[in-house]
Amino acid sequence: MSGPADTDRVAWWRAMEERYGRSPVHEVFGLSLRVLGAGVVAVDYGGDPAAGNIHGTVSGGAIAQLVDSGVVQACRTLLAADDRAVTVALAVSFVRAARVGTPLSAVGRVVDVGGTLGTARVEVASGSGEVVAIGQGTVRIRRAG
């Protein structure tokens, strides 16, 4: 893509980032989205205690949400604004615990996006680079129209 299409694509990515922050589940856990390029995103967790468990670590469910968001949003960067992507499969392997208050970043990278399915891999790491979890998922794509 070049020219006006690039400008439109970047505008779509900025709109994705802004809209992401308004989702209730993302607000609860304090998540934000950064589109890094076509097929690549970062979902950031700033350390909000709402994502914690009784042991003072980030809950597995919150980490799974980071992975899920990384999969869906990475695939969405390659779709049209009116297309939809819904998770149909998700696998997460937890590598180590992260203390609440530790900022985490989940970087999602598309493996493939086709007509009806998309797949992406995600790595969740702390700011110091320690891997907390790895995962992958598949989304069902509903094309607009």
Side-chain angles (χ1 to χ4, degrees):
M1 240 187 271
S2 64
D6 283 343
T7 303
D8 292 346
R9 179 62 54 180
V10 171
W12 161 230
W13 294 342
R14 298 298 81 87
M16 284 176 58
E17 292 169 339
E18 190 278 325
R19 187 170 185 203
Y20 182 91
R22 291 186 279 156
S23 172
V25 70
H26 304 149
E27 284 181 359
V28 166
F29 291 137
L31 305 182
S32 61
L33 173 68
R34 290 180 290 131
V35 177
L36 304 178
V40 184
V41 300
V43 178
D44 298 315
Y45 159 73
D48 193 308
N53 61 31
I54 197 166
H55 305 292
T57 59
V58 180
S59 75
I63 291 170
Q65 175 62 47
L66 284 166
V67 173
D68 183 44
S69 282
V71 168
V72 172
Q73 301 305 321
C75 290
R76 287 187 71 224
T77 66
L78 301 176
L79 303 179
D82 292 337
D83 293 343
R84 297 289 172 253
V86 178
T87 305
V88 294
L90 187 69
V92 181
S93 295
F94 301 98
V95 177
R96 67 178 42 85
R99 302 290 307 163
V100 168
T102 303
L104 301 174
S105 186
V107 176
R109 297 180 191 282
V110 166
V111 173
D112 183 65
V113 169
T116 59
L117 294 175
T119 303
R121 292 186 186 117
V122 178
E123 182 174 285
V124 181
S126 68
S128 65
E130 283 192 322
V131 176
V132 173
I134 55 173
Q136 68 179 31
T138 302
V139 296
R140 178 173 176 250
I141 299 167
R142 286 189 172 169
R143 302 285 179 174

